[in-house]
């Protein structure tokens, strides 16, 4: 990057798990990190923990399902910076893994409100700050469960996970990534999954009851790599810890 100013990143859902670890890793590189958290108490504790380690962190109360909260978050970030180098749409909802035969619109909608509409709300609100950056990047934290290439592979365990909400929401998020990338060539939009598709592994987080085979640090490798893309890096891609994967 040619910009010698301190790099800035907003990470949604960063009070724990992948979001918090991504915040730590970028913060250790000298970035100013805006830590988005729906729960302000937990967010404050997470921010204080990072600050104690010398990281430049600003708590941003942020509920991605609320237009009002997203607007207030944009104002808070704008009070600290005139641009945003990286937006990481990390906040996610797992749903309840309800069988398609029993799934209702209410179940699916609740997951979409966070996993699909949330990134749209946040991206829309922060577009101006992103466009003010010299080399803006947006990372959509997706999942291999949202890849048709994975769920149709009988060798992949998720092919036998019968549910509608989470997998379809991540497939929708992948499409959003591509369409944003096409519409905004000056901003790099890429999707990341925190795992290794070929090895059928994923990161251990609260969302999966810490059943993953990879550490949370390993899980953020793809996210951080996309956040650190050079100006000539790709856009509109889907990648895991080992590299690009099939949609």
């Amino acid at each position: 990057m040619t910009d010698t100013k301190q790099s800035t990143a907003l990470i949604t859902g960063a009070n724990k798990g992948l979001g918090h670890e991504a915040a730590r890793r970028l913060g250790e590189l000298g970035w100013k990190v805006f830590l988005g958290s729906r729960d302000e108490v937990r967010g404050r504790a997470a921010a204080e923990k990072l600050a104690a380690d010398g990281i430049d962190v600003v708590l941003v109360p942020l509920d991605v399902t609320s237009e009002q909260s997203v607007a207030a978050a944009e104002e808070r970030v704008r009070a600290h910076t005139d641009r945003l180098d990286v937006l990481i749409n990390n906040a996610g909802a797992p749903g309840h893994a309800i069988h398609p035969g029993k799934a209702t619109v209410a179940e699916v909608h609740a997951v979409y409100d966070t996993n699909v509409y949330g990134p749209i709300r946040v991206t829309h609100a922060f577009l101006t700050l992103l466009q003010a950056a010299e080399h803006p990047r947006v990372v959509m934290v997706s999942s291999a469960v949202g890849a048709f290439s994975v769920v149709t592979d009988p060798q992949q365990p998720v092919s036998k996970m019968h549910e509608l909400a989470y997998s379809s929401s991540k497939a929708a998020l992948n499409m959003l990534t591509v369409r944003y990338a096409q519409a905004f060539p000056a901003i790099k939009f890429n999707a990341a999954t925190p795992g290794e598709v070929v090895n059928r592994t994923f990161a251990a987080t609260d969302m999966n009851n810490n059943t993953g085979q990879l550490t949370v640090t390993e899980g953020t490798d793809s996210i951080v790599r996309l956040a650190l893309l050079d100006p000539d890096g790709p856009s509109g891609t889907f990648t895991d810890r080992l590299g690009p994967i099939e949609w």
Side-chain angles (χ1 to χ4, degrees):
M1 296 176 61
T2 58
D3 188 354
T4 58
K5 297 179 182 178
Q6 183 183 28
S7 295
T8 56
L10 167 66
I11 307 174
T12 66
N15 62 288
K16 63 179 181 177
L18 297 169
H20 190 263
E21 180 63 5
R24 183 192 67 79
R25 293 181 66 177
L26 292 177
E28 287 187 344
L29 295 176
W31 289 42
K32 176 184 277 298
V33 177
F34 295 98
L35 188 151
S37 176
R38 181 177 61 178
D39 186 312
E40 189 168 351
V41 174
R42 292 180 180 178
R44 182 174 296 107
E48 289 175 351
K49 181 178 179 181
L50 293 177
D53 291 332
I55 291 173
D56 187 354
V57 58
V58 176
L59 171 63
V60 179
L62 176 53
D63 178 355
V64 302
T65 69
S66 165
E67 297 281 355
Q68 183 177 2
S69 177
V70 172
E74 194 275 343
E75 291 181 1
R76 185 173 181 83
V77 172
R78 187 179 290 276
H80 289 269
T81 182
D82 60 356
R83 77 192 194 289
L84 185 65
D85 296 295
V86 170
L87 167 61
I88 300 179
N89 281 309
N90 168 71
H96 301 96
I98 295 174
H99 189 281
K102 297 181 179 180
T104 63
V105 168
E107 160 72 10
V108 175
H109 182 272
V111 176
Y112 271 54
D113 204 16
T114 297
N115 296 358
V116 182
Y117 310 142
I120 293 175
R121 290 187 187 99
V122 176
T123 301
H124 178 77
F126 284 88
L127 268 177
T128 300
L129 281 174
L130 284 165
Q131 290 170 324
E134 180 179 347
H135 168 40
R137 286 136 286 163
V138 176
V139 182
M140 303 290 199
V141 179
S142 185
S143 170
V145 180
F148 286 88
S149 64
V150 174
V151 299
T152 58
D153 179 355
Q155 298 303 313
Q156 292 284 351
V158 297
S159 68
K160 301 173 182 64
M161 184 180 75
H162 303 302
E163 63 84 52
L164 289 181
Y166 185 73
S167 55
S168 66
S169 74
K170 291 302 185 179
L173 182 62
N174 290 348
M175 179 60 77
L176 291 181
T177 303
V178 173
R179 299 303 272 170
Y180 274 126
Q182 293 171 333
F184 296 97
I187 303 175
K188 296 190 182 304
F189 284 87
N190 292 285
T193 178
E196 298 176 356
V197 170
V198 68
N199 294 321
R200 299 188 288 278
T201 59
F202 52 94
T205 65
D206 287 352
M207 187 175 291
N208 56 50
N209 296 315
N210 294 300
T211 57
Q213 303 88 342
L214 301 177
T215 67
V216 70
T217 299
E218 291 171 328
T220 58
D221 282 348
S222 57
I223 298 169
V224 172
R225 184 171 67 242
L226 292 175
L228 298 175
L229 279 180
D230 291 329
D232 59 352
S235 189
T237 68
F238 189 19
T239 185
D240 72 359
R241 185 167 180 259
L242 303 178
I245 62 174
E246 295 296 324
W247 299 100

